[in-house]
Amino acid sequence: MWWEKKGHLEVNDENHLAILGRDACALAKEYGTPLYVYDKQRIIDNFSAIRSAFQKCSDNFRIHYAMKANSNPEVLKILCREGAYIDAVSPYEAKIAMDAGYPREKIMFTGTSVSDSDLKMLVDDGIFINIDSLSQIKRLRKFGGEGLNVSLRWNPGMGAGHHSHTITAGKYIKFGIPESKLSSAVDLIKESGFNLVGLHQHIGSGWLADDVGVFLETVDRTIGAAVKIQDKIGHDLEFIDFGGGPGIPYCAKDKEFPLDVYAKGICSKVASSPLRNAQIAVEPGRYIVGDAGVLLLEINTVEDKNVPVIGVNGGFNTLARPSFYGSYHEMVVCNCVASKDEKGFMVAGNLCESGDVFSVNREILRKLPVPSEGDVLAVLDAGAYGYSMASTYNSRPKPREVLVDGKGVRVVREEAW
Ligand code: LLP
């Protein structure tokens, strides 16, 4: 199978799905469904892969884990031990990260439509703020004292992402400060008595090899903007942050993300610019946790309606991505991974909405081995933006989460309202 990864996701001798050597059917039986299962080793391996790619070309970089992808405290602790920094999008995320052991100096807040109460909480907690608007600078004066270190998120004018909802730079985009306002923002920071120490971009989420070229063009633009800012303020910026976005393959035709091209591109562009002393920062989320998580669901209905339907005990309250973005997620019948007896099904969730289907598109059926009621269905690559986007819609609780490692399986969050 295209998605098999030795040690992490495999098909065992019984033709069952195994996650870090654990039979997915047995996990579902023991811990119930819906169930998010995370593979600790895979999280560490993914983080290490990014770190190694940068180590090859820089000795001055840091990796902020974008915790919006998966903020389970145990996941945060694993990455804290690996040396990650944090990208937080709300003051509450910053608090969760601190509770998980991150020192405040390793957390950077990048928010949008940021309220006064958000700003107050952040300043009170001593969290570094990456500013998204001129309004934010003006309002920060009420809470932030003279000499407060801040950075600016700008919009480099072009973006990329797996869906229009996840493109975060370019025209008609709410994020960041546009080029035309950048100089005024820098002036305003100075007038406010704040100290500008960094420039940040995040062009979007879930782009692959084909978009690395666009990304590297924005790297050039951001370096160019940072150089102009340095000239204007008369001192060097401490860091330059290129955001997150590296995608993962969700289906057979998606290519692996070219980490080396990406890291080398960033490092060589910075090294050959006047910013060579600035620390490089990146903020990956999906790449670290995406393929480390699997969602297990029980198949409760197998029936030919107008179309053949597999009904499962979760919906877009459990995993929003297929309904929200039309995202493809590979699905596997856990007790019968490979079979010649396949048929096209609509894989339907249990919410009272016709759009609540996991098979992406109501007209396109998903080829799966014909299951029996009571079988377990695994939705792969659910570790990023899975649980973190889950809701209690239809008054159902959010699912339990377990972490699998070499020693065993641990519940890392109970089913919760
Ligand atoms: N930095 C900033 C400022 C961000 O806004 C994001 C994601 C990241 C970093 C991390 O991006 P990543 O490396 O994970 O692509 N819910 C969507 C994704 C939304 C991403 C929002 N911002 C999805 O399920 O595809």
Side-chain angles (χ1 to χ4, degrees):
M1 304 288 168
W2 73 267
W3 43 262
E4 275 185 274
K5 278 157 200 138
K6 217 170 161 23
H8 165 50
L9 262 192
E10 288 169 311
V11 187
N12 70 17
D13 296 343
E14 288 176 275
N15 195 22
H16 285 197
L17 179 71
I19 307 162
L20 198 68
R22 310 258 156 190
D23 189 313
C25 301
L27 287 172
K29 197 162 172 205
E30 186 163 354
Y31 296 96
T33 54
L35 181 73
Y36 272 100
V37 184
Y38 306 127
D39 178 339
K40 178 178 174 183
Q41 193 53 48
R42 188 70 190 169
I43 296 172
I44 294 174
D45 290 348
N46 289 337
F47 184 82
S48 308
I50 300 175
R51 186 175 46 206
S52 310
F54 279 96
Q55 267 165 350
K56 282 186 217 158
C57 53
S58 168
D59 52 14
N60 192 16
F61 69 92
R62 60 186 204 230
I63 303 169
H64 288 255
Y65 169 54
M67 66 180 279
K68 60 183 85 64
N70 186 326
S71 53
N72 185 288
E74 293 305 312
V75 170
L76 295 177
K77 284 179 197 164
I78 294 167
L79 292 166
C80 189
R81 285 191 289 271
E82 293 301 307
Y85 287 61
I86 285 289
D87 158 40
V89 274
S90 74
Y92 305 97
E93 279 199 346
K95 282 187 194 297
I96 293 169
M98 285 191 282
D99 286 347
Y102 289 83
R104 60 184 90 263
E105 308 78 57
K106 285 189 129 183
I107 303 172
M108 177 159 105
F109 167 84
T110 301
T112 189
S113 302
V114 179
S115 69
D116 281 9
S117 78
D118 286 344
L119 291 173
K120 180 167 182 338
M121 273 165 84
L122 292 160
V123 171
D124 287 350
D125 283 343
I127 302 298
F128 183 91
I129 301 175
N130 182 33
I131 292 174
D132 179 75
S133 67
L134 275 72
S135 158
Q136 210 181 317
I137 307 174
K138 290 180 206 149
R139 289 183 293 111
L140 186 58
R141 292 172 181 170
K142 290 190 247 173
F143 312 103
E146 188 85 8
L148 186 75
N149 282 348
V150 295
S151 57
L152 280 176
R153 174 181 188 166
W154 87 306
N155 176 344
M158 57 204 286
H162 69 80
H163 185 276
S164 60
H165 289 4
T166 71
I167 297 173
T168 53
K171 228 178 169 187
Y172 306 117
I173 292 292
K174 67 175 180 171
F175 296 101
I177 292 162
E179 187 171 13
S180 58
K181 297 261 174 83
L182 198 54
S183 179
S184 314
V186 174
D187 289 339
L188 206 50
I189 284 182
K190 197 163 174 216
E191 277 164 45
S192 310
F194 303 142
N195 188 23
L196 183 58
V197 296
L199 186 66
H200 167 279
Q201 68 158 51
H202 170 66
I203 66 160
S205 183
W207 36 272
L208 287 166
D210 291 347
D211 284 319
V212 172
V214 171
F215 169 75
L216 290 176
E217 209 173 317
T218 64
V219 169
D220 281 331
R221 291 184 182 197
T222 296
I223 292 173
V227 171
K228 277 197 199 149
I229 290 176
Q230 283 196 169
D231 291 345
K232 188 174 166 81
I233 61 180
H235 64 80
D236 284 356
L237 292 176
E238 289 172 16
F239 74 87
I240 180 155
D241 186 328
F242 298 104
I248 57 169
Y250 282 99
C251 61
K253 70 168 184 25
D254 286 346
K255 290 179 226 137
E256 285 291 336
F257 186 80
L259 269 185
D260 282 334
V261 179
Y262 161 81
K264 223 166 144 190
I266 294 175
C267 295
S268 62
K269 285 177 187 297
V270 172
S272 60
S273 80
L275 301 174
R276 70 186 73 82
N277 296 324
Q279 186 171 44
I280 292 169
V282 286
E283 302 170 342
R286 184 191 318 268
Y287 191 91
I288 297 171
V289 287
D291 71 1
V294 173
L295 172 63
L296 300 181
L297 300 164
E298 189 194 48
I299 295 173
N300 52 37
T301 307
V302 182
E303 187 165 313
D304 287 343
K305 294 192 168 178
N306 289 333
V307 291
V309 169
I310 289 178
V312 292
N313 66 343
F316 67 68
N317 55 341
T318 325
L319 177 71
R321 303 191 74 260
S323 295
F324 203 46
Y325 310 110
S327 297
Y328 184 96
H329 279 261
E330 198 60 77
M331 289 184 269
V332 171
V333 178
C334 294
N335 58 317
C336 175
V337 178
S339 165
K340 295 217 163 61
D341 185 18
E342 284 195 334
K343 179 171 157 177
F345 289 99
M346 171 192 282
V347 180
N350 58 357
L351 298 180
C352 292
E353 301 219 16
S354 293
D356 180 38
V357 287
F358 286 99
S359 40
V360 180
N361 184 317
R362 281 183 282 158
E363 287 79 44
I364 300 175
L365 301 179
R366 185 67 67 92
K367 274 244 153 81
L368 284 169
V370 178
S372 302
E373 294 179 357
D375 285 353
V376 177
L377 184 81
V379 184
L380 307 187
D381 303 307
Y385 307 106
Y387 188 95
S388 65
M389 290 177 74
S391 74
T392 55
Y393 184 48
N394 278 202
S395 298
R396 290 185 184 277
K398 293 196 210 172
R400 182 180 275 167
E401 295 170 287
V402 296
L403 183 74
V404 185
D405 65 16
K407 287 186 236 132
V409 186
R410 218 160 25 104
V411 175
V412 288
R413 181 147 41 198
E414 278 298 354
E415 190 180 75
W417 291 95

